[in-house]
Amino acid sequence: MPTRLAEDAGKRVVWGVSLVLIAVTALLGGAPGAATATTLAAPPGPVLSWGPCERADAAGPADGFECATARVPLDYRQPTERTIPLAVTQRLAADQAHRTGVLVLHPGGPGNSGVDFARNSHDALPASLRGSFDVVGYDMRGVARSGQVECWNDKEHSAADAARGVPGPGALQGAVR
């Protein structure tokens, strides 16, 4: 029958080895995978040229909103490659001398226009917000005035996944054996 002293000695050895391993890992820069991680360069921010908005109704541009198109990367893993246009709208704070910041309005989704939401909701905002915040809205990818999403059929999707190394159908069952 082991004695309490022997059990304590065994625990001390386990704790000692654990502490040494933790110290060595910390000195070597962390876990093995951490050394191989890559950091993607941030894409440049879009340059916006504000101008009158195109309206389909009789109200026209007299509502005080301006519009622009933001060109953003189609694939943020390749930020300098193809871009897609996003529609953006803004109405400047009524009191620019006391402007506090920007209020971005977005309706959620899927498929709802942030441009329409900002324009249609502006007058319902409290006067204190309209007076001190620029109100901004945007249409997400594939929504309303923004660039549309390109959909693939099953064959094209599988080919793209295979080219990127993404597991296809049935991969989970094979990996969990």
Side-chain angles (χ1 to χ4, degrees), residues 105-176:
L105 298 180
H106 200 276
N112 298 321
S113 169
V115 169
D116 291 343
F117 185 69
R119 293 178 79 161
N120 295 334
S121 301
H122 183 269
D123 291 341
L125 295 171
S128 60
L129 287 178
R130 293 191 316 259
S132 57
F133 286 89
D134 297 343
V135 175
V136 174
Y138 67 97
D139 288 343
M140 295 190 321
R141 297 165 182 250
V143 174
R145 299 161 192 84
S146 289
Q148 299 304 302
V149 176
E150 179 182 329
C151 297
W152 296 335
N153 63 33
D154 288 344
K155 184 177 179 181
E156 292 167 328
H157 190 270
S158 294
D161 281 350
R164 289 192 311 246
V166 176
L172 179 62
Q173 292 82 4
V176 179

Side-chain angles (χ1 to χ4, degrees), residues 92-110:
L92 299 178
D95 184 0
Q96 285 290 301
H98 297 100
R99 179 180 169 272
T100 302
V102 176
L103 177 63
V104 178
L105 298 180
H106 200 276

Side-chain angles (χ1 to χ4, degrees), residues 16 27 40 44 81 84 151-152 172:
L27 290 173
L40 297 176
E81 301 295 320
I84 189 168
C151 297
W152 296 335
L172 179 62

